[in-house]
Amino acid sequence: MGKGPLSFRRLSSIRRRKKGSAVKDDASQTSTPSSPPPPPPINAGGPIVGGTGKAKKKAGGARLWMRFDRTGAMEVVECDKSTIIKRASVPARDLRILGPVFSHSSNILAREKAIVVNLEVIKAIVTAEEVLLLDPLRPEVLPFVERLKQQFPQRNGTENALQASANVQSPPLPLDPEAAEGLQSELPFEFQVLEIALEVVCSYVDRSVVVLETEAWPVLDELTKNVSTENLEYVRSLKSNLTRLLARVQKVRDELEHLLDDNEDMADLYLTRKWIQNQQNEAILAGTATNSIVPPLHNTSNLHRLTSNRSASMVTSNTDDDDVEDLEMLLEAYFMQLEGMRNKILTVREYIDDTEDYVNIQLDNQRNELIQLQLTLTIASFAIAAETLLASLFGMNIHCPLYDTHGVFGYFVWSVTALCIVLFMVTLGYARWKKLLGS
């Protein structure tokens, strides 16, 4: 992530540098924290399952979840649905989407405080502070966990405690312009997790496509040389795998396309922006309450300044709400990758269809040759049947003057045979004239 030709972060950093002046102007008026504080553990006293240890017996409806926050803190616990619903503030139907019934569907759903991600093997709930990953010990999910560890290295306990204490106790300080510009050039936590999930899913699907292509070409080439039952069975199995893989890629692609077509859905995915706006609103309300108790002499000037600050904050908030370019660039990058994988699969399917057409042409040609041979044998049988008819007529016990003629048998047999040959040639010529037989 961040190094590939279609990476989003490099493009986002360039675009954010152009907005440096606007960020500097807003930073002088903004006094809210830039990111939410790290969340507490799900269950500090509950059972934590290690990567190699065995989990305890699950309670009714409990499943294995991994909590990973922006500071790198990680824990693997068994939680029931009510705990996850309360923790992530998501409806119960979203957990059904992450269940086995919808295991083959692809969804990226925006909620008030979370993003529900169901992409292939990645089933997670992402908030502005943490990600809750379902079944983290599955082999297909382990690359996602490793990428999270690389992207968010774990900090030591002292640093986490100091940061949490600073976020809770100390009043928010104005952002330095340079720091604000660097902060804006980095993706929010939820988008970084979403990018890692899309990267892992695209890598997982791309490996499947490469394996499919590697298996397809030799089998199809062998089928063109030898049309056998074994080769046909290989092609049937290959085509079934291709159809399933195409459906998986199509589902993820359609979900990204749906988000790209709707700016409101993309705006709802900005969880950190929502949190900052809530903090700004709370700060404005707190400022209003504080200024309401000042002496009357200063009420007019303070009210004017507060009104101007609120207007500027609302304008900036409305501008940010409409700005979904960061997420759009991110989704477009992986949409292009999925489109390329889809084109590869369609190319393999077209080659399979072409091979099937070629095999059908070969079989039709052989069938036509068999039909021509059958017609030739039928004409020969007709000529022989005519000679047999004459022989059976003269084989009856009826007296005939030819029986008394000496040496007539040989002439008669050869004459009837020549007549049958002429009949065969005439019938065969007529069939060729009607183009019933090849030349």
Side-chain angles (χ1 to χ4, degrees):
M1 180 180 65
K3 297 182 180 180
L6 296 177
S7 175
F8 162 76
R9 182 165 302 165
R10 186 182 306 167
L11 301 176
S12 177
S13 300
I14 296 175
R15 191 182 70 83
R16 286 296 185 180
R17 293 193 191 100
K18 296 180 181 179
K19 294 186 179 180
S21 58
V23 172
K24 292 178 182 179
D25 296 338
D26 295 339
S28 61
Q29 300 177 357
T30 305
S31 62
T32 56
S34 61
S35 62
I42 296 178
N43 186 9
I48 298 178
V49 183
T52 57
K54 293 184 178 180
K56 295 181 180 180
K57 187 176 181 180
K58 296 183 181 180
R63 303 185 67 179
L64 196 63
W65 292 82
M66 186 192 77
R67 186 191 70 86
F68 197 101
D69 61 20
R70 61 171 65 248
T71 64
M74 180 185 66
E75 63 173 337
V76 181
V77 295
E78 292 178 359
C79 301
D80 54 6
K81 293 183 178 180
S82 60
T83 304
I84 299 299
I85 292 173
K86 186 187 228 179
R87 178 85 177 186
S89 300
V90 295
R93 64 177 179 271
D94 290 343
L95 295 184
R96 289 195 295 269
I97 293 176
L98 300 179
V101 178
F102 299 93
S103 59
H104 298 290
S105 62
S106 296
N107 305 99
I108 300 177
L109 304 178
R111 296 296 179 251
E112 183 63 28
K113 297 181 180 179
I115 301 175
V116 181
V117 179
N118 182 19
L119 298 175
E120 288 291 320
V121 296
I122 307 299
K123 303 178 184 299
I125 300 176
V126 185
T127 66
E129 306 91 0
E130 62 183 2
V131 53
L132 302 175
L133 181 62
L134 181 63
D135 295 333
L137 301 182
R138 292 178 57 188
E140 300 88 356
V141 186
L142 290 179
F144 179 69
V145 177
E146 295 298 327
R147 290 291 291 112
L148 287 177
K149 292 179 181 179
Q150 295 175 6
Q151 183 66 24
F152 306 101
Q154 188 173 8
R155 305 173 186 175
N156 54 44
T158 305
E159 185 177 356
N160 289 339
L162 291 176
Q163 181 178 0
S165 176
N167 288 332
V168 174
Q169 298 177 3
S170 63
L173 299 176
L175 291 177
D176 181 71
E178 297 296 333
E181 183 177 356
L183 174 65
Q184 293 296 332
S185 65
E186 185 179 359
L187 283 173
F189 172 76
E190 63 270 16
F191 289 169
Q192 294 185 47
V193 174
L194 182 60
E195 184 178 4
I196 293 174
L198 289 173
E199 180 185 1
V200 171
V201 169
C202 289
S203 301
Y204 179 74
V205 175
D206 187 62
R207 287 194 298 269
S208 301
V209 173
V210 171
V211 171
L212 180 67
E213 287 182 325
T214 305
E215 294 178 353
W217 305 124
V219 173
L220 295 176
D221 292 339
E222 181 65 23
L223 181 63
T224 57
K225 298 176 183 178
N226 181 21
V227 182
S228 62
T229 304
E230 184 179 2
N231 291 335
L232 289 175
E233 180 63 26
Y234 284 157
V235 173
R236 185 199 65 79
S237 176
L238 180 66
K239 197 169 184 179
S240 300
N241 295 335
L242 183 141
T243 302
R244 288 193 293 267
L245 183 59
L246 179 61
R248 290 163 49 193
V249 174
Q250 189 71 35
K251 288 177 182 178
V252 181
R253 175 189 172 276
D254 291 344
E255 183 63 24
L256 296 185
E257 186 178 15
H258 171 73
L259 289 175
L260 289 171
D261 291 339
D262 195 337
N263 288 341
E264 293 183 0
D265 289 346
M266 285 193 290
D268 291 338
L269 296 177
Y270 281 78
L271 303 180
T272 301
R273 177 191 294 175
K274 294 178 184 178
W275 185 86
I276 293 176
Q277 290 175 357
N278 292 333
Q279 295 297 315
Q280 289 176 349
N281 294 334
E282 293 178 0
I284 292 173
L285 294 176
T288 304
T290 303
N291 286 280
S292 63
I293 59 175
V294 299
L297 182 62
H298 303 285
N299 281 348
T300 304
S301 60
N302 290 333
L303 180 61
H304 176 71
R305 184 185 60 185
L306 183 61
T307 304
S308 62
N309 290 338
R310 179 181 299 180
S311 301
S313 177
M314 293 299 293
V315 171
T316 305
S317 176
N318 292 334
T319 303
D320 290 339
D321 286 343
D322 296 334
D323 183 16
V324 294
E325 185 177 354
D326 293 343
L327 180 59
E328 186 175 4
M329 292 170 61
L330 188 151
L331 296 179
E332 281 181 353
Y334 290 99
F335 177 80
M336 293 173 61
Q337 291 189 22
L338 291 169
E339 184 69 18
M341 298 175 194
R342 177 175 173 270
N343 292 334
K344 288 182 181 180
I345 297 175
L346 292 178
T347 301
V348 177
R349 188 169 71 173
E350 289 178 359
Y351 190 77
I352 291 177
D353 294 338
D354 294 341
T355 304
E356 290 180 348
D357 294 339
Y358 176 74
V359 170
N360 290 331
I361 291 173
Q362 281 187 330
L363 295 177
D364 291 340
N365 186 37
Q366 293 178 359
R367 191 179 299 110
N368 291 335
E369 291 178 355
L370 290 175
I371 293 174
Q372 291 179 6
L373 177 60
Q374 183 180 5
L375 181 58
T376 303
L377 294 176
T378 302
I379 295 174
S381 300
F382 171 70
I384 295 173
E387 183 177 8
T388 304
L389 176 61
L390 292 176
S392 62
L393 290 176
F394 283 96
M396 295 182 181
N397 294 326
I398 299 176
H399 183 72
C400 179
L402 291 176
Y403 293 165
D404 299 334
T405 305
H406 181 69
V408 73
F409 180 77
Y411 294 104
F412 180 80
V413 170
W414 286 110
S415 300
V416 173
T417 303
L419 179 63
C420 293
I421 293 175
V422 171
L423 179 62
F424 171 75
M425 297 303 296
V426 170
T427 309
L428 187 64
Y430 177 78
R432 291 182 181 276
W433 178 63
K434 288 293 185 179
K435 296 182 180 179
L436 299 177
L437 293 175
S439 58

